[in-house]
DNA sequence: CCGTATCCTAAATGATACTG
DNA sequence: CAGTATCATTTAGGATACGG
């Protein structure tokens, strides 16, 4: 079984992904649930079940898949404690943490936009 | 033919989408190519073919679909000039423009991360 | 508790052809 | 130019069962 979980593909160097910083950023954190996972994790160290509850729309399968990719791409760390029952903790790396201000602003933008649109 | 292009679904008020500003923000601009489209549009008024060339990975179909949703959700405007050959111009609304600083920071983050990862 | 494996369905996307 | 329509395909996602 091979291990190729990163969502980044830079094999054809001339693609926009390789050239454009914006597309590159999206390739690291732009997939469906990744921003939400990262946003949740800015609160601090998280466990699997905790994130599942925090983002109820995501399936376990997708959560696991996204966590692997984020780990491979160096945005989060995964620490397994060999206990019974097992405990696994996810935390942002320095790189992941550097996204926090951007995620915060996006959250603020959402809040303002809800007001403008008179939702909630 | 009905017209229901918005990607926002707030019918069940208790969903995270309705409650959480972050998920709400994602529902407006978090889909696959939307950030890239919006980022391109921060340069100014855009035409369809121009965006297609700027984001070569996106298909015409998806570009059109995403543009419809962004229009319905009030992030962009679409102006048709009844000429021959036809001309259609897309521009950010005030709301769409308010995303510019966030998109800019994401672009900067991508640039820095590329350096850190020694890509390009 | 924290997953993986499998099977299956729904949605996203791509290719192609065509229109005002 | 700026799309739409249709079909084929790929990928995402859900349900369930099982394992360390």
């Amino acid at each position: 079984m091979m291990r190729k979980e990163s969502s980044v593909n830079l094999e054809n160097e001339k693609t926009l992904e390789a050239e454009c910083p914006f597309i590159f950023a999206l390739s690291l954190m732009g997939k469906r649930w990744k921003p939400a996972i990262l946003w949740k994790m800015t609160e601090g160290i998280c466990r699997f079940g905790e994130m599942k509850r925090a983002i109820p729309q995501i399936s376990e399968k997708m959560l696991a898949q996204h966590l692997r990719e984020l780990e491979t791409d160096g945005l989060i760390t995964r620490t397994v404690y060999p206990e019974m029952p097992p405990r696994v903790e996810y935390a942002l790396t320095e790189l992941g943490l550097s996204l926090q201000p951007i995620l915060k602003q996006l959250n603020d933008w959402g809040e303002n936009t809800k007001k403008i649109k008179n939702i909630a």
Side-chain angles (χ1 to χ4, degrees), chain A:
Chain A
M1 199 198 305
M2 64 177 284
R3 181 144 174 108
K4 194 272 176 187
E5 311 279 14
S6 169
S7 54
V8 184
N9 177 0
L10 296 177
E11 277 163 25
N12 38 351
E13 294 280 336
K14 286 300 172 194
T15 61
L16 196 62
E17 185 171 312
E19 299 295 333
C20 172
F22 193 86
I23 299 288
F24 178 70
L26 287 183
S27 74
L28 292 180
M29 49 66 73
K31 213 167 164 184
R32 185 74 186 264
W33 298 107
K34 282 183 186 177
I37 292 171
L38 293 167
W39 174 239
K40 165 66 182 167
M41 290 183 64
T42 61
E43 289 174 11
I45 291 172
C46 285
R47 298 182 60 178
F48 191 88
E50 197 181 338
M51 286 189 269
K52 212 177 62 174
R53 281 188 300 277
I55 314 169
Q57 299 102 323
I58 194 172
S59 66
E60 289 193 4
K61 183 179 169 181
M62 286 299 109
L63 179 55
Q65 198 175 108
H66 284 165
L67 288 171
R68 292 295 162 280
E69 289 186 0
L70 289 169
E71 187 193 358
T72 302
D73 288 336
L75 294 171
I76 67 173
T77 57
R78 179 174 182 271
T79 310
V80 183
Y81 296 90
E83 302 169 359
M84 200 59 184
R87 182 163 56 101
V88 180
E89 289 184 349
Y90 295 91
L92 293 175
T93 61
E94 193 181 338
L95 181 60
L97 204 57
S98 69
L99 272 171
Q100 182 165 12
I102 302 177
L103 299 172
K104 173 76 169 68
Q105 283 181 58
L106 190 55
N107 186 70
D108 294 348
W109 182 84
E111 205 157 358
N112 285 327
T113 305
K114 278 177 78 171
K115 283 178 198 160
I116 292 169
K117 289 181 175 280
N118 282 318
I119 301 173

